[in-house]
Amino acid sequence: MLPNPQNYAIYPSVMLADQEREMIISPTERAFLLFEGEEYLVTVYPINTDAPDYHLGLTGEEYRVTAHNGVVRFSHTFAGEQQHLIVFAKDEKKLGEFMVYSLKEDLYALTPLRGDLHGHSYRSDGARDPAALAGHYREQGYDFFALTDHNRFYPGYEIDEVYANVHLGITRVPGEEVHTPGSPVHIVHVGGKKSVALQYIKDRKTYEDEVDACLKQIPAGLPECYHERYAMALWSTQKIHEADGIAIFAHPFWRPKDRVYNVCEEFATMLLTSGMFDAYELVGGMRQIGINRSVAMWNDLRANGLQIPVVGSSDVHTVAKSGNFPHLFTVCFAKSNTPDDIIDAVKNGLSVAVEATGTEYDRQYRAYGSLRLVSYAQYLLTYFFPAQERICQGEGIAMRAYAMNDADASLVEAQVAQTKCFRDRFFGKMPPRLPDAAMIDFENRVRARHLDEGPVTKGSAIDSETVTRQI
């Protein structure tokens, strides 16, 4: 990730709507400590507000605030659930801009999490060791992931064993990718307490008998050519639910070996409208043309009344030069970062599917879901998740080193604590760390010396009558 330093930060960045909240603007580097007793101007602009003529400019609420101990404080009631622009200035010179978000109580109580519910390791057809893959996910800022190796549930336990003695910042959700013998339908099973695939691997006869029983549950009017495949999908989803997991319909427009779709449009529509699936992998391992068709089909089905939660998944097989990882993922809003709460969030429709495009110089995100969740997710994708990713980079690298006995648990856990502090401060769960007396004294001494020896303000000039720095 490319550097994007800012001189000032605002705390918190997310708060309850329609309640007065004290806000703090603090420097991010010592040189930008605010001057004691000096007056600054803060202006707050709600973004989703009626403007009869946007050419006339914004109308905001102004606060004249006095700096103390290197920071400024002001209190404001942020109206409604929306984004707000805050402009910070002194003597008509803008020092910084901030975007904050106010939420209604139900959404504010939930934890926004970035994750992936479909990925593969070296234990099936992926390229990376399971424990190393966990570190790669965390290095990219992920909060949770599911290792869903093909017809294999056990590789996830490897991750648990490797990291058993270290507290991680990333959560592993149990999973496997189920594709029963003879079926082209791939179903992602996540959150369950036991393997479904192991049942048809270890006891093929019982599996076949149970599929025959499912044939009797085929809905009237279903074309006969789909009966057997429908019965196998029904068996899979029933077994997933018996294991207390959720069934995700995966990549219907995937073209194995660039030939035909693994599931045709007609059959995909029947499966999605059957009610057997808990969520739809709206963006996943289908290449862009498949994703475009997937989104279009979802829109058509929604217009006809279908309500099904959506997720985005990388279907990662290799982390190097991957078109999908870390560009396709899910943002969900859960009670906590635990497997059960993540699964509940998805089941209850508290998730959006995301695809990222562009480069590190110009990253763009397309989020799919309800307007309310997409609006909030887009804010987080711009102002929160990239910042968290930067903090998590060292954490993920340390995880992989720990897995190879090349780092202590304390190194990982120290970075986990740093990430937690960032999250808690961003969402107003804990106060920010403000400049202390020693830091203020340090900067005052440097500024005094700077003035005494003559401010160098432009290039190689020894002295200048116009001081261009804040000092």
Side-chain angles (χ1 to χ4, degrees), residues 273 295-308:
T273 56
V295 172
M297 181 174 69
W298 176 61
N299 284 331
D300 286 350
L301 292 173
R302 284 200 305 165
N304 290 322
L306 176 69
Q307 296 293 323
I308 187 168

Side-chain angles (χ1 to χ4, degrees), residues 286-301:
M286 298 177 281
R287 298 190 177 182
Q288 191 59 53
I289 189 170
I291 291 174
N292 292 346
R293 288 174 60 83
S294 175
V295 172
M297 181 174 69
W298 176 61
N299 284 331
D300 286 350
L301 292 173

Side-chain angles (χ1 to χ4, degrees), residues 50-210:
D50 181 48
D53 187 348
Y54 61 84
H55 293 99
L56 299 178
L58 299 171
T59 300
E61 190 167 350
E62 294 185 348
Y63 297 92
R64 296 194 178 275
V65 291
T66 301
H68 180 58
N69 289 338
V71 306
V72 296
R73 302 169 184 263
F74 68 98
S75 294
H76 181 76
T77 300
F78 294 90
E81 189 167 272
Q82 62 173 311
Q83 189 169 305
H84 308 262
L85 167 66
I86 298 177
V87 178
F88 179 48
K90 180 160 191 341
D91 300 330
E92 299 184 355
K93 178 182 178 181
K94 184 170 68 176
L95 300 179
E97 284 188 358
F98 315 101
M99 286 291 186
V100 302
Y101 211 98
S102 56
L103 293 170
K104 293 180 181 177
E105 192 168 358
D106 62 332
L107 193 50
Y108 182 73
L110 301 177
T111 301
L113 303 167
R114 178 186 177 187
D116 189 348
L117 294 173
H118 186 176
H120 301 281
S121 78
Y122 194 71
R123 302 308 183 200
S124 61
D125 60 347
R128 304 262 56 89
D129 170 83
L133 184 61
H136 283 292
Y137 269 116
R138 190 55 170 167
E139 185 179 348
Q140 297 299 321
Y142 283 73
D143 299 297
F144 68 89
F145 76 103
L147 180 58
T148 56
D149 276 325
H150 297 280
N151 299 313
R152 289 172 172 85
F153 192 76
Y154 69 84
Y157 294 130
E158 291 183 41
I159 301 171
D160 299 341
E161 185 174 345
V162 169
Y163 296 114
N165 295 318
V166 58
H167 172 67
L168 299 180
I170 187 169
T171 294
R172 184 188 76 83
V173 180
E176 63 187 342
E177 186 168 2
V178 174
H179 28 97
T180 56
S183 174
V185 181
H186 289 204
I187 301 171
V188 174
H189 162 213
V190 292
K193 304 300 187 289
K194 64 180 180 178
S195 173
V196 167
L198 202 59
Q199 298 177 51
Y200 52 78
I201 291 172
K202 293 293 186 180
D203 189 354
R204 184 74 168 265
K205 178 65 168 59
T206 299
Y207 158 73
E208 291 173 348
D209 290 344
E210 291 176 346

Side-chain angles (χ1 to χ4, degrees), residues 93 450-451 454-459 461-471:
K93 178 182 178 181
H450 188 87
L451 288 171
V456 178
T457 59
K458 288 186 179 180
I462 294 176
D463 198 8
S464 171
E465 294 182 358
T466 304
V467 178
T468 60
R469 302 292 186 180
Q470 186 186 175
I471 193 166

Side-chain angles (χ1 to χ4, degrees), residues 316-365:
V316 63
H317 286 73
T318 176
V319 299
K321 299 181 180 179
S322 169
N324 295 341
F325 176 82
H327 311 301
L328 304 176
F329 54 90
T330 299
V331 172
C332 76
F333 305 91
K335 292 178 181 178
S336 69
N337 191 10
T338 61
D340 287 346
D341 284 345
I342 291 164
I343 294 303
D344 283 345
V346 173
K347 283 180 66 175
N348 292 321
L350 292 168
S351 63
V352 297
V354 182
E355 56 174 332
T357 60
T359 67
E360 286 189 288
Y361 294 96
D362 184 25
R363 180 74 72 211
Q364 301 292 319
Y365 297 96

Side-chain angles (χ1 to χ4, degrees), residues 432-449:
R433 180 66 61 84
L434 301 178
D436 59 17
M439 187 184 301
I440 293 169
D441 177 67
F442 174 93
E443 185 58 26
N444 286 337
R445 286 187 287 108
V446 172
R447 288 174 178 177
R449 181 176 180 180

